[in-house]
Amino acid sequence: MRISEHPPSSKNRSELTRQALLDSATRLFGKHGFDATSNRLLAEHAGVNQALIGYHFGSKEGLYEAVFEHIAERLSSHLAPVLLPIESELQALTGGERDTAKSDVKKRCVNAISTLLENYVCIINFPEFEDSARVIVREQLDPSNAFEIMWNKVMHKYMTALTLFICLSKGRTAPDQSDRLMSITLMGQVLVFRVARASINRHMQWEEPHGADNLEKIQLLIRSNIKKILD
Amino acid sequence: MRISEHPPSSKNRSELTRQALLDSATRLFGKHGFDATSNRLLAEHAGVNQALIGYHFGSKEGLYEAVFEHIAERLSSHLAPVLLPIESELQALTGGERDTAKSDVKKRCVNAISTLLENYVCIINFPEFEDSARVIVREQLDPSNAFEIMWNKVMHKYMTALTLFICLSKGRTAPDQSDRLMSITLMGQVLVFRVARASINRHMQWEEPHGADNLEKIQLLIRSNIKKILD
DNA sequence: GTCTATAGTCGGATAGAC
DNA sequence: GTCTATCCGACTATAGAC
């Protein structure tokens, strides 16, 4: 926790500076990558002085890691209301209930998985998460410490839940490698819409960015594919 | 076509230099990206003098584009023996044959799609294509001229064939937007194994690089998913 | 074709005034 | 906390010897 030695107005400005730098960094690192983004450009885009990167984040790398902390928080709070009912559903299916009909379990699992992945479709496609998603993809191509932050704070929980539902939908209770592999192919169907957007826009003859109607078509197809794969 | 004004031994060395630079560039641009890779490192890795980048490719950017030409050729020649029977199958299904049983058409389409995607699994996972795939993914995150090369020379043909088979498997003859969207989700199931490898290695508790047994498990799952989705 | 040496530019970091 | 000015290292490109 940072301790301000200045009057409130100064404290507010400080926070504004931090936010402006974090937002610009997310955008520019996402669009062009870490090395292609200079501190000068970063500062200009944020409307602040270049020296403030050093002051607030220690270095360019410090800013980069702060971006991941920031993204992890935003994603967590976006996912929290989705994961809450999902996790109580998990508890209900694994321990809390007895004699649930098999077909009912499967149906509820498929529903939970659809919910998780439709939400992922939003994260991948919403403009507000676009840059965050790009930063994460870049980081995975050449992982550093920043990837640890992301995996531990957000991804791990999400992938574990997804895998467990897949396992339960097959009538088992302990996930194995085949369940994990399945969770990856399901994720891939969504992830591709961020990663291969250049190809997709050509192939679909879409213009940037995808409209809301496209989003809905994607979600419908994903839901339909999940049902066919898991039923 | 480059005209050599030197004896054969010199010509050979020139070609070796070009190849060494292209290989190193594919590897390093793929691993770290264009901006994070310096000409010095590139030359050192290739075991040649730094000034030769300028001589052979004009500039660093020239080398970058040459990498895409190179990759496009390698991918094309890898895919050629796969696409040849696929395209004659396409002709047979669209025009050459009459009164083919509907169920037979579907089966043959699903087979063709599986062939295409299993080959894609190889491209994504084979060490010899690893760096090429990474370079392409990076390029898509921030497309430049180089992406045009890739799309026009390789991707377009591949995606068109995939989409057409999907369309035929549904008993139609002219592909629509839903067929194209489906082709993307199918591709995504494979692409994810390159793009999200950092997450996958964690989730699967695999070590780099994937072994041949893992490759086979992936192919089996992809084939099974395709069958379920399209049947 | 290859190499050495260097010109010219731009990068991240920071000292010190306010 | 912010800003100006500046240091110094790393970068790409290229001139010129071989």
Side-chain angles (χ1 to χ4, degrees), chain B residues 73-190:
Chain B
E73 266 180 42
R74 290 212 317 148
L75 283 180
S76 290
S77 48
H78 174 83
L79 283 175
V82 182
L83 284 177
L84 202 73
I86 285 284
E87 295 197 334
S88 63
E89 175 77 344
L90 252 185
Q91 286 189 348
L93 286 169
T94 51
E97 296 177 15
R98 297 184 185 276
D99 305 323
T100 312
K102 262 193 180 177
S103 66
D104 192 45
V105 170
K106 171 166 284 188
K107 196 174 168 187
R108 283 164 68 181
C109 285
V110 171
N111 252 327
I113 292 166
S114 296
T115 303
L116 281 171
L117 285 180
E118 276 169 27
N119 221 267
Y120 190 46
V121 172
C122 293
I123 291 174
I124 286 290
N125 287 282
F126 277 1
E128 48 180 313
F129 286 113
E130 173 170 343
D131 298 310
S132 308
R134 292 163 70 116
V135 168
I136 296 169
V137 171
R138 283 188 187 278
E139 176 64 18
Q140 296 215 43
L141 289 174
D142 193 19
S144 68
N145 290 339
F147 177 71
E148 308 293 316
I149 299 171
M150 215 56 218
W151 175 260
N152 291 329
K153 291 203 174 180
V154 187
M155 294 175 161
H156 180 59
K157 185 186 279 188
Y158 188 92
M159 292 301 289
T160 303
L162 190 58
T163 302
L164 200 42
F165 278 117
I166 289 170
C167 164
L168 290 172
S169 81
K170 293 180 183 166
R172 287 183 278 100
T173 53
D176 63 16
Q177 289 292 74
S178 77
D179 299 320
R180 295 197 187 90
L181 214 51
M182 178 67 87
S183 72
I184 291 163
T185 60
L186 295 188
M187 294 283 288
Q189 293 185 50
V190 181

